């Protein structure tokens, strides 16, 4: 099949996979700007507030361990809608959490359910679309980013109306319940998974773990930006809490537009690596515009440009990882949740500790450091694939 002939079949299975990814993205993007607001309400330090990222990590680890077992026992389609149901229930619990000891476990449960639903969707898209999987995953992420655009806006409205950060959790609960109903109604149309794809006893090759490392670094970049961009806008650009929270939509808008365009470009690229390196360069340029000035409109513009680059990080990195898994799509997607766990636990905590000591502006230099390491990882993956081709 030539590059121009690659197409995405937007059938019912594809649509429900897009919806599952979208609700998980909405949850994560509503959680990011929520953390500083939780910190304000409960009078927490930045480091303690960042434990919500650690809660996401715990949830992702639990999901990564149990998902292959659950798929073997119940099948991918059933696990998908059950995970969406659990996400709705745990997000509802988050709405009524009275303190940190309520928000942390609710966040962990929501993360476990949301990442399980997204991992099932990514494995299904990979099996369903073959060579067009990278484009389909990118388009699914674009849909998720489009839905997530309303997350910072709903949080800003919640702050203005006195509801506060709970508006984001309420939105997740409603969306997840709707997706669970749709997923259950059409789950029987999904293509069954193979035992090789799911088996925990299959060994993933070394090139998968290199791609996994790149994925972890990409997720760390996105997590740091999502979780602490509001704090940077408040402290460095001198924006109000409400304005800074609403301006978080600039990042999500950039990600949405970048993934929308990237899904078109990916249909013409059998190798996602050059496109991923281009995305790193765009991220570096946008971050410079976001970080350097103290002018609010210029910082928000930089945040939007950063989003254009960040847009392609996750979908292309996860596509590379699954491609490197030698047919073990479900196992690869489940193990990728460990990368997500590490990204959500370590990266924002490191940035938060640096912010508490040196201020958020200086601490944000952690982001370009991660970006440079990810680029080195992609270069190493290129060398690994080239060596494998020569040996074969």
């Amino acid at each position: 099949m030539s590059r121009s002939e690659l197409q995405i079949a937007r059938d019912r299975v594809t649509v429900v996979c897009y919806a599952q990814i979208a609700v998980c993205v909405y949850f994560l993007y509503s959680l990011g700007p929520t953390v500083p607001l939780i910190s304000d309400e409960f009078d927490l330090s930045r480091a303690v507030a960042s434990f919500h990222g650690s809660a996401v990590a715990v949830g992702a680890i639990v999901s990564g361990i149990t998902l292959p077992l659950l798929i073997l026992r119940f099948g991918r389609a059933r696990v998908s809608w059950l995970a969406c149901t659990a996400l709705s229930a745990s997000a509802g619990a988050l709405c009524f959490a009275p303190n940190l000891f309520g928000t942390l476990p609710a966040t962990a449960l929501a993360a476990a359910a949301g990442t399980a639903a997204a991992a099932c969707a990514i494995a299904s898209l990979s099996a369903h679309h073959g060579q067009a999987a990278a484009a389909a995953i990118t388009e699914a992420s674009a849909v998720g980013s489009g839905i997530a655009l309303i997350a910072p806006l709903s949080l800003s409205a919640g702050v203005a109306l006195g509801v506060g950060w709970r508006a984001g959790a309420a939105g997740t609960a409603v969306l997840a319940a709707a997706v669970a109903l749709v997923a259950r109604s059409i789950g029987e149309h999904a293509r069954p998974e193979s035992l090789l794809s799911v088996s925990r006893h299959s060994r993933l090759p070394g090139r998968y773990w290199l791609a996994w490392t790149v994925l972890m670094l990409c997720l760390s970049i996105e997590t740091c930006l999502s979780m602490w961009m509001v704090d940077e806008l408040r402290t460095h650009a001198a924006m109000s809490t409400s304005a800074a929270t609403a301006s978080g939509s600039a990042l999500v808008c950039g990600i949405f537009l970048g993934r929308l365009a990237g899904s078109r470009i990916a249909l013409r690229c059998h190798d996602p690596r050059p496109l991923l390196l281009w995305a790193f360069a765009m991220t570096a340029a946008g971050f410079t515009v976001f970080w350097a000035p103290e002018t609010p409109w210029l910082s928000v513009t930089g945040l939007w440009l950063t989003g254009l680059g960040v847009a392609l990080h996750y979908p292309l990195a996860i596509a590379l990882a699954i491609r490197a898994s030698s047919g073990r799509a479900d196992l690869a997607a489940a193990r990728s949740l460990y990368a997500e766990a590490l990204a959500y636990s370590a990266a924002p905590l490191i940035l938060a500790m640096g912010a508490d000591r040196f201020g958020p502006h200086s601490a944000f230099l952690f982001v370009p450091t991660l970006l440079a390491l990810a680029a080195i990882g992609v270069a190493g993956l290129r060398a690994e694939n080239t060596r494998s081709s020569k040996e074969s």
Side-chain angles (χ1 to χ4, degrees):
M1 181 176 287
S2 67
R3 295 183 181 183
S4 60
E5 292 177 314
L6 287 177
Q7 292 184 354
I8 301 173
R10 298 177 183 87
D11 51 17
R12 288 189 291 180
V13 173
T14 301
V15 169
V16 77
C17 287
Y18 283 13
Q20 290 169 208
I21 291 173
V23 73
C24 182
V25 172
Y26 181 90
F27 164 68
L28 294 175
Y29 271 87
S30 63
L31 179 65
T34 291
V35 170
L37 303 182
I38 292 177
S39 177
D40 290 345
E41 179 174 329
F42 299 146
D43 193 24
L44 308 172
S45 69
R46 293 184 182 92
V48 172
S50 72
F51 287 163
H52 289 87
S54 301
V56 172
V58 170
I61 290 172
V62 171
S63 181
I65 293 171
T66 60
L67 191 56
L69 294 171
L70 292 173
I71 293 175
L72 279 173
R73 176 66 178 85
F74 300 106
R76 188 194 299 148
R78 182 177 295 180
V79 171
S80 294
W81 68 259
L82 286 173
C84 290
T85 302
L87 175 57
S88 178
S90 51
L94 181 59
C95 289
F96 297 99
N99 51 41
L100 180 68
F101 299 103
T103 59
L104 287 179
T107 298
L109 290 172
T115 54
C120 287
I122 288 169
S124 294
L125 288 174
S126 180
H128 201 60
H129 292 282
Q131 286 189 332
I137 294 170
T138 303
E139 186 172 83
S141 300
V143 173
S145 301
I147 298 297
L149 273 171
I150 64 175
L153 297 177
S154 66
L155 281 169
S156 179
V159 171
L161 295 173
V163 179
W165 54 267
R166 290 171 176 81
T172 298
V174 172
L175 289 173
V179 173
L181 290 174
V182 175
R184 184 174 185 179
S185 67
I186 69 170
E188 65 270 14
H189 298 285
R191 187 175 300 175
E193 59 280 351
S194 67
L195 290 178
L196 174 64
S197 175
V198 183
S199 176
R200 295 182 304 122
H201 302 293
S202 301
R203 293 191 62 183
L204 291 162
R207 62 182 180 274
Y208 167 80
W209 293 108
L210 183 56
W212 182 96
T213 302
V214 172
L215 174 64
M216 182 270 295
L217 292 168
C218 288
L219 286 167
S220 296
I221 294 166
E222 188 170 349
T223 302
C224 287
L225 286 167
S226 173
M227 194 166 290
W228 293 113
M229 63 183 173
V230 171
D231 207 24
E232 172 71 0
L233 290 173
R234 291 193 304 180
T235 57
H236 187 65
M239 298 177 68
S240 68
T241 297
S242 179
T245 303
S247 297
S249 291
L251 178 71
V252 185
C253 180
I255 290 175
F256 169 64
L257 294 175
R259 285 173 177 169
L260 204 61
S263 64
R264 304 297 88 196
I265 299 171
L267 285 172
R268 296 173 175 82
C269 297
H270 284 203
D271 185 356
R273 290 169 297 175
L275 187 56
L276 185 54
L277 289 173
W278 179 91
F280 289 162
M282 172 63 77
T283 303
F287 180 84
T288 301
V289 178
F290 161 69
W291 181 84
E294 298 181 26
T295 308
W297 72 265
L298 199 54
S299 293
V300 174
T301 301
L303 198 58
W304 178 75
L305 292 172
T306 303
L308 290 177
V310 169
L312 300 183
H313 290 192
Y314 173 75
L316 294 182
I318 189 65
L320 280 173
I322 290 179
R323 176 181 290 193
S325 69
S326 301
R328 298 163 176 84
D330 283 285
L331 186 61
R335 294 297 179 257
S336 74
L337 297 179
Y338 298 154
E340 190 167 334
L342 189 57
Y344 267 89
S345 58
L349 180 59
I350 291 171
L351 194 153
M353 292 173 65
D356 283 336
R357 183 169 183 179
F358 306 110
H361 187 62
S362 297
F364 248 107
L365 290 174
F366 182 51
V367 170
T369 302
L370 294 171
L371 195 60
L373 292 173
I376 293 171
V378 172
L381 192 62
R382 178 187 293 273
E384 172 75 17
N385 282 11
T386 301
R387 185 162 55 251
S388 297
S389 299
K390 289 182 179 179
E391 289 175 356
S392 59

